[in-house]
Amino acid sequence: MTIPDSTVSEYLGRPQPRHRHAAMVVDTSLYIYGGLGKDGGGSDVVLSDLWRLNLVTLRWKKFTVSGGPGARYGHIMGADSLRAPVDPSDPHRPILLVYGGRSSSSSFADGDVWVLTLDARQEELPLSWRQVSPGGSTPGQR
């Protein structure tokens, strides 16, 4: 379900209230992804937005990210802010990881793993999720 424009504008500048989302602190920022919110009529809606709260300025920022895990809730998110650069000429770029969850009230995500590389300064850059396929057996749906 898509959130009506009236609901989006009500929460412009900060994320709408939600639960069963994932949150992770990276350096001086708190990131939240997805979860369950409400549409204009009060029905549950599965969210797919990514927000950052700067813990120094206490300002929210919504990111436009291409691709990705899509709308989901009950997932987990991790981060690696100490990751060494792939190329020594590249700046340090922390990553967010999203795993599992539900994509609707009756559908589990397929134990998929998604990675989002962040800018070290956490400024706006074109960001895009990429799906990774870890080796071995998966923990299964939960």
Side-chain angles (χ1 to χ4, degrees):
M1 174 183 283
T2 303
I3 301 172
D5 289 339
S6 59
T7 304
V8 172
S9 62
E10 182 180 341
Y11 297 106
L12 191 62
R14 63 185 168 96
Q16 76 174 98
R18 66 192 62 214
H19 62 102
R20 300 195 69 191
H21 57 282
M24 182 59 52
V25 173
V26 177
D27 300 323
T28 59
S29 295
L30 169 70
Y31 291 88
I32 64 168
Y33 183 77
L36 283 175
K38 298 287 184 188
D39 66 14
S43 298
D44 281 340
V45 61
V46 184
L47 304 170
S48 63
D49 51 351
L50 176 68
W51 288 83
R52 180 191 80 210
L53 174 63
N54 182 309
L55 299 172
V56 176
T57 65
L58 298 179
R59 293 194 181 269
W60 285 104
K61 175 177 178 56
K62 182 177 182 180
F63 286 91
T64 301
V65 184
S66 63
R72 64 181 61 204
Y73 67 96
H75 52 291
I76 61 168
M77 187 162 59
D80 183 356
S81 61
L82 301 176
R83 188 172 73 91
V86 175
D87 177 346
S89 65
D90 278 348
H92 169 72
R93 299 194 60 196
I95 59 173
L96 292 177
L97 298 101
V98 169
Y99 172 76
R102 287 183 178 263
S103 56
S104 70
S105 60
S106 62
S107 175
F108 278 102
D110 293 325
D112 51 356
V113 179
W114 291 86
V115 174
L116 180 69
T117 302
L118 303 168
D119 178 60
R121 298 174 314 278
Q122 298 176 358
E123 300 294 329
E124 186 169 351
L125 287 179
L127 298 175
S128 61
W129 289 99
R130 70 181 190 282
Q131 190 170 11
V132 296
S133 300
S137 58
T138 66
Q141 299 172 337
R142 51 191 78 218

